[in-house]
């Protein structure tokens, strides 16, 4: 019996010791992993260049992480593209303005054809202007081709450079439409249209073979506004006149680097290694080195991010980005039910003192838009509701904005409510 108790006690002591050491070891392992994660996060070295790849799409909201969206992007071959939220980009550039570790900023690459709109780019450009005015230099460089949107941002730089084999395209803005009425008629497909408003031109590709006078007028007015913003901003940064930019667009359009330099649109013609060498002068590195001390905008934003303090008084920011649809919606859509439910929840939350709705939508379902507009009205009755319009806030996007306490729009925001339509195909 004595041996039984001795062995039992020894077994229990061993189990307790094993569990204690196991828990201690697991705790130490978790602490080590956490410390390692902090150490391996983005780090900002002293005397670095902040780099901004223009091919990264600037979105209003954070990129969706739905499996369906990820799989779709992979199958379409777009899995490598990246994006950065507008607020994140602006805040990072602002912080870099006063960050002694950042010695300058490099803009490079080209904006994707379906990338950011002028309203988004205008906000980024204003932030870049503030960075330049702080005394820190901005360089912009491209080795393929720049178009109007690219040059709209690139022209803000102190030094604009082009590769000897690249092109600069400044030939004005245009809009094209594809018409299907002839093909539908050929195959016996009738299209019944219900429309209110002569300027509701979205149905015209199904019913006409060319744009109506109203569609041409509204498109021309929009392009003129955007072109004026481009020429005025670019000319001011380059110490030219808008008339000079207009002359270049009318007479040349496509400029080789030598022509662009003669016209005053760029400062230097250089290869990539020459650009790196010039930037190394800012970072204090040996110019013979092939590396550059740099950090890209996304990593810099992650490096300077800090934990937000909780508070009983909060302002909620909602992103309404994409087409407005009934139900919950999906990637790139605004679900009417989902957005209405969120507004209702924030209205009933006493810790939320105000709501900011960022709208970037061309419109969509009339039913879903009316549902959201109603919730906006009810929320405004209890607390301030502010709308900030992005690139688009048209049709249904405008309707959901109208019940806000205040509405703010960019000078290049496409907005307005110019009718409704319905389409009934008859096969």
């Amino acid at each position: 019996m004595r041996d039984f108790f001795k062995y039992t006690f020894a077994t229990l002591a061993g189990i307790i010791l094993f569990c204690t050491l196991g828990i201690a070891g697991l705790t130490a392992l978790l602490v080590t992993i956490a410390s390692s994660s902090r150490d391996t996060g983005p780090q900002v070295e002293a005397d670095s260049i902040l780099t901004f790849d223009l091919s990264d799409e600037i979105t209003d909201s954070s990129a969706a992480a739905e499996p369906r969206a990820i799989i779709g992007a992979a199958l379409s071959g777009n899995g490598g593209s990246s994006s950065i939220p507008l607020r994140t980009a602006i805040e990072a550039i602002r912080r870099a303005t006063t960050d002694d570790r950042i010695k300058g900023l490099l803009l490079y690459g080209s904006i994707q054809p379906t990338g950011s709109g002028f309203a988004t780019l205008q906000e980024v450009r204003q932030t870049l202007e503030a960075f330049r005015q702080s005394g820190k230099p901005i360089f912009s460089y491209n080795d393929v081709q720049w178009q109007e949107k690219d040059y709209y941002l690139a022209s803000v730089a102190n030094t604009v450079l082009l590769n000897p084999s690249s092109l600069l395209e400044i030939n004005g803005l245009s809009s094209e439409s594809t018409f299907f009425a002839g093909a539908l008629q050929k195959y016996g497909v009738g299209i019944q249209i219900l429309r209110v408003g002569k300027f509701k031109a979205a149905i015209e590709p199904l019913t006409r073979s060319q744009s109506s006078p109203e569609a041409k007028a509204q498109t021309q007015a929009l392009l003129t506004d955007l072109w004026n913003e481009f020429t005025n901003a670019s000319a001011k940064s380059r110490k030219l006149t808008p008339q000079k930019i207009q002359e270049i667009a009318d007479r040349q359009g496509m400029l080789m680097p030598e022509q662009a330099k003669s016209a005053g649109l760029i400062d230097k013609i250089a290869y990539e290694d020459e650009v790196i060498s010039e930037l190394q002068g800012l970072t204090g590195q040996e110019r013979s080195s092939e590396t550059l001390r740099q950090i890209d905008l996304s990593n810099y934003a992650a490096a300077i991010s800090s934990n937000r303090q909780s508070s009983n008084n909060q302002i909620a920011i909602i992103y309404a980005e994409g087409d407005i649809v009934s139900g919950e919606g999906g990637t790139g859509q605004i679900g009417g039910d989902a957005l209405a439910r969120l507004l209702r929840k924030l209205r009933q939350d006493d810790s939320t003192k105000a709501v900011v709705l960022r709208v970037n939508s061309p419109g969509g379902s009339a039913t879903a838009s009316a549902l959201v507009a109603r919730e906006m009205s009810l929320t405004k009755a209890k607390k301030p509701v502010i709308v900030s319009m992005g690139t688009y806030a048209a049709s249904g996007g405008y309707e959901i904005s109208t019940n806000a306490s205040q509405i703010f729009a960019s000078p290049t925001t496409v907005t307005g409510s110019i009718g409704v339509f319905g389409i009934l195909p008859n096969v």
Side-chain angles (χ1 to χ4, degrees):
M1 181 63 70
R2 181 183 303 171
D3 290 340
F4 171 77
F5 284 114
K6 180 174 69 174
Y7 290 128
T8 300
F9 177 78
T11 301
L12 291 174
I15 292 173
I16 294 173
L17 180 62
F18 174 78
C19 292
T20 302
L21 292 175
I23 293 173
L26 180 61
T27 302
L29 178 62
L30 292 175
V31 171
T32 302
I33 292 174
S35 300
S36 175
S37 298
R38 285 194 298 267
D39 293 340
T40 58
Q43 302 292 320
V44 185
E45 298 183 68
D47 300 328
S48 293
I49 298 296
L50 180 63
T51 62
F52 186 177
D53 187 351
L54 299 183
S55 67
D56 291 344
E57 183 178 4
I58 304 172
T59 60
D60 276 348
S61 57
S62 299
E66 291 186 10
R68 181 174 58 183
I70 297 173
I71 295 173
L75 293 177
S76 64
N78 295 326
S81 60
S82 58
S83 62
I84 182 171
L86 175 61
R87 288 188 66 212
T88 300
I90 288 177
E91 179 61 24
I93 297 172
R94 285 176 177 169
R95 290 283 295 275
T97 302
T98 56
D99 190 339
D100 293 336
R101 297 170 296 179
I102 300 298
K103 295 302 180 182
L105 189 150
L106 171 65
L107 298 167
Y108 69 97
S110 302
I111 298 172
Q112 299 298 317
T114 58
S116 309
F118 268 100
T120 297
L121 298 180
Q122 188 173 32
E123 292 196 48
V124 175
R125 196 180 197 281
Q126 291 171 348
T127 310
L128 291 171
E129 287 177 338
F131 183 95
R132 175 175 174 172
Q133 291 170 3
S134 71
K136 295 185 178 182
I138 299 178
F139 293 78
S140 58
Y141 176 72
N142 188 272
D143 57 4
V144 183
Q145 181 175 337
W146 270 333
Q147 296 181 341
E148 283 82 4
K149 278 187 178 181
D150 309 309
Y151 191 73
Y152 180 63
L153 289 187
S155 60
V156 78
N158 302 76
T159 307
V160 182
L161 307 100
L162 278 180
N163 186 279
S165 60
S166 62
L167 289 172
L168 178 57
E169 179 181 332
I170 298 181
N171 52 8
L173 305 178
S174 65
S175 176
E176 298 179 356
S177 298
T178 303
F179 295 90
F180 304 96
L184 294 172
Q185 184 178 9
K186 178 179 179 180
Y187 291 104
V189 179
I191 300 294
Q192 299 179 39
I193 300 296
L194 304 174
R195 181 174 71 164
V196 177
K198 293 182 179 180
F199 286 88
K200 204 65 177 179
I203 51 88
E204 290 189 359
L206 302 177
T207 62
R208 299 177 60 93
S209 58
Q210 60 182 358
S211 296
S212 67
E214 292 83 4
K216 290 181 179 179
Q218 66 180 4
T219 303
Q220 185 64 57
L222 171 62
L223 293 178
T224 298
D225 284 346
L226 296 179
W227 179 247
N228 287 339
E229 166 60 23
F230 169 79
T231 55
N232 290 331
S234 301
K236 182 178 179 181
S237 294
R238 297 301 305 169
K239 294 182 172 56
L240 300 173
T241 64
Q243 292 76 18
K244 177 64 175 178
I245 302 291
Q246 184 66 57
E247 180 183 344
I248 292 171
D250 291 339
R251 295 188 177 184
Q252 292 177 275
M254 302 288 289
L255 293 90
M256 296 297 290
E258 295 82 3
Q259 296 171 315
K261 184 178 179 182
S262 298
L265 297 176
I266 70 170
D267 299 292
K268 295 181 180 180
I269 302 172
Y271 290 99
E272 182 177 353
D273 62 284
E274 294 175 308
V275 177
I276 292 175
S277 178
E278 186 159 352
L279 292 172
Q280 287 170 341
L282 288 175
T283 61
Q285 296 174 267
E286 293 290 334
R287 291 182 181 263
S288 59
S289 173
E290 295 183 359
T291 62
L292 175 67
R293 192 180 301 117
Q294 59 182 293
I295 183 168
D296 65 62
L297 195 63
S298 295
N299 283 329
Y300 180 72
I304 63 173
S305 63
S306 58
N307 295 327
R308 296 180 179 179
Q309 300 296 322
S310 60
S311 171
N312 293 328
N313 299 322
Q314 299 178 355
I315 295 176
I317 302 177
I318 306 174
Y319 294 96
E321 188 168 21
D323 295 330
I324 302 174
V325 299
S326 297
E328 298 300 310
T331 303
Q333 295 178 329
I334 303 168
D337 291 349
L339 182 52
R341 183 170 58 250
L342 179 56
L343 287 168
R344 195 177 308 120
K345 179 181 178 181
L346 294 173
R347 181 170 70 249
Q348 297 168 352
D349 184 2
D350 292 334
S351 65
T352 300
K353 302 304 180 182
V355 176
V356 176
L357 180 66
R358 174 70 172 186
V359 179
N360 191 2
S361 170
S365 167
T367 303
S369 300
L371 175 64
V372 174
R374 172 62 178 169
E375 290 298 329
M376 289 281 287
S377 177
L378 295 174
T379 305
K380 184 182 71 170
K382 293 194 64 175
K383 57 192 67 176
V385 180
I386 310 299
V387 163
S388 169
M389 292 180 171
T391 298
Y392 297 101
S395 196
Y398 182 76
E399 182 180 1
I400 67 175
S401 305
T402 52
N403 288 329
S405 309
Q406 288 181 292
I407 299 176
F408 295 89
S410 165
T412 51
T413 294
V414 180
T415 188
S417 185
I418 50 179
V420 294
F421 69 88
I423 299 176
L424 296 174
N426 183 12
V427 180

